[in-house]
Amino acid sequence: DQDTIEVLQKEIKRRKESIALYQEANRNDLVAQEQAQLAMIARYVPAAPTHQEIERVVDETIASSQSREFAIVMKTVAAAFAGRGVGKEIAEIVKEKLAKL
């Protein structure tokens, strides 16, 4: 269910932010606790695609649509990776690829 995945991704993001803050404060006990919770939650979320997978889909989308508009390419690629929490990375890759055209 997409809604469930979104909630879990928010929880994963919170855990990662907490881990970073606890590491800065040298609170290794809390870091370990957050990492354990993160590992448990991550089992229920689809695995994030690799950078190369995203680049491949971006390249294929640009080639098939023959579009150089960011919004069009971004919408198509984001739909391909829906629920996998990589929107920011997709946007960066799309911008990079379109800038080279």
Side-chain angles (χ1 to χ4, degrees), residues 36-101:
Q37 291 175 3
L38 176 63
M40 183 181 68
I41 295 168
R43 293 187 307 203
Y44 299 99
V45 178
T50 65
H51 189 81
Q52 291 78 17
E53 288 177 301
I54 297 170
E55 282 186 332
R56 181 183 51 78
V57 173
V58 169
D59 289 339
E60 290 172 359
T61 302
I62 292 171
S64 67
S65 69
Q66 297 181 350
S67 177
R68 292 186 174 160
E69 291 186 44
F70 175 81
I72 293 171
V73 176
M74 183 66 192
K75 181 179 177 181
T76 304
V77 176
F81 294 108
R84 296 174 81 184
V86 290
K88 185 176 178 182
E89 187 174 2
I90 292 170
E92 291 171 1
I93 293 171
V94 170
K95 286 178 188 176
E96 176 187 313
K97 296 283 185 176
L98 291 176
K100 292 180 181 180
L101 296 178

Side-chain angles (χ1 to χ4, degrees), residues 5-41:
I5 291 172
E6 288 177 14
V7 169
L8 292 174
Q9 286 174 332
K10 287 179 185 178
E11 290 301 317
I12 287 172
K13 182 178 178 183
R14 284 185 191 156
R15 297 305 185 282
K16 288 180 178 180
E17 291 170 353
S18 295
I19 289 169
L21 291 173
Y22 292 146
Q23 285 175 332
E24 288 177 17
N26 290 325
R27 292 294 311 266
N28 294 330
D29 57 325
L30 296 175
V31 169
Q33 180 181 358
E34 292 293 321
Q35 287 174 333
Q37 291 175 3
L38 176 63
M40 183 181 68
I41 295 168

